[in-house]
Amino acid sequence: MSLRQTVTPDALLGRMNGTMRSANRASALLGAVGGGAVMTVAGSGPALLAVTLVFAGAAVVALCSPLQTAAAGQRIG
């Protein structure tokens, strides 16, 4: 979030934060419905395995991301 706010012009910060919050809430809704569907169809074991794989994949993406080395506090553009 800090990098997003750093690279976003001041005049657009409210719009950017509102858009990101809406996307976050929509993703949470879809994840809850999808998780419930997987749990209903496949059972708790496969559902928990799927959640574990998704979070492990997210961790790998975060660890390999160039954003870790992005200079904090520098305005771009």
Side-chain angles (χ1 to χ4, degrees):
M1 183 165 67
S2 295
L3 180 62
R4 263 196 325 260
Q5 290 179 340
T6 300
V7 300
T8 302
D10 290 341
L12 298 177
L13 280 174
R15 292 179 186 183
M16 183 273 300
N17 284 328
T19 300
M20 294 308 297
R21 186 173 181 148
S22 296
N24 185 341
R25 299 298 191 260
S27 296
L29 173 67
L30 293 175
V33 171
V38 170
M39 184 87 154
T40 300
V41 172
S44 62
L48 290 173
L49 177 62
V51 168
T52 302
L53 292 175
V54 167
F55 277 103
V60 168
V61 168
L63 289 173
C64 297
S65 172
L67 293 177
Q68 285 187 346
T69 58
Q74 292 189 4
R75 188 164 291 277
I76 300 172

